[in-house]
Amino acid sequence: MGKFVVRQTPTGIKFDLKAGNGQVILTSEVYTTKAACLNGVESVKKNSQEDARFEKLDSKNGKPYFNLKATNGQVIGTSELYESVAARDNGIESVKKNAPDAEVIEE
């Protein structure tokens, strides 16, 4: 089962969505407050169930990745860079599967 890991950074607070195997599948922006970060977690839980919220992209070096967007179009999470389109699509499926019931852990 997946989990959201909320942690402090030098510039604020952010979260990672991790799959059951511990691999990071989505990373948030850096928020200024814990409350805003937790709102981001809730937004991921909700928006991850709609295919239209996933934006499939290619990085400057050609590696595929994706963003998850909220209803207002704001990016609420970004994936790692993948080696193939198939791997990216598997990452999207992993977010859809893990996000809705993931527990929130604070580090």
Side-chain angles (χ1 to χ4, degrees), residues 6-76:
V6 175
R7 61 189 166 83
Q8 196 68 42
T9 72
T11 56
I13 189 164
K14 68 188 291 189
F15 66 82
D16 292 322
L17 173 59
K18 294 186 176 186
N21 64 4
Q23 183 177 2
V24 174
I25 50 178
L26 193 73
T27 300
S28 75
E29 66 178 324
V30 176
Y31 295 93
T32 54
T33 66
K34 182 177 167 186
C37 185
L38 294 176
N39 283 342
V41 167
E42 290 306 313
S43 186
V44 168
K45 288 184 176 194
K46 182 176 72 176
N47 288 290
S48 65
Q49 299 310 292
E50 295 189 42
D51 289 336
R53 301 276 182 260
F54 289 92
E55 178 182 39
K56 297 177 179 182
L57 301 161
D58 291 312
S59 67
K60 289 185 177 116
N61 66 2
K63 294 192 182 236
Y65 72 102
F66 65 87
N67 286 329
L68 177 61
K69 293 187 167 188
T71 49
N72 65 3
Q74 182 179 355
V75 174
I76 49 179

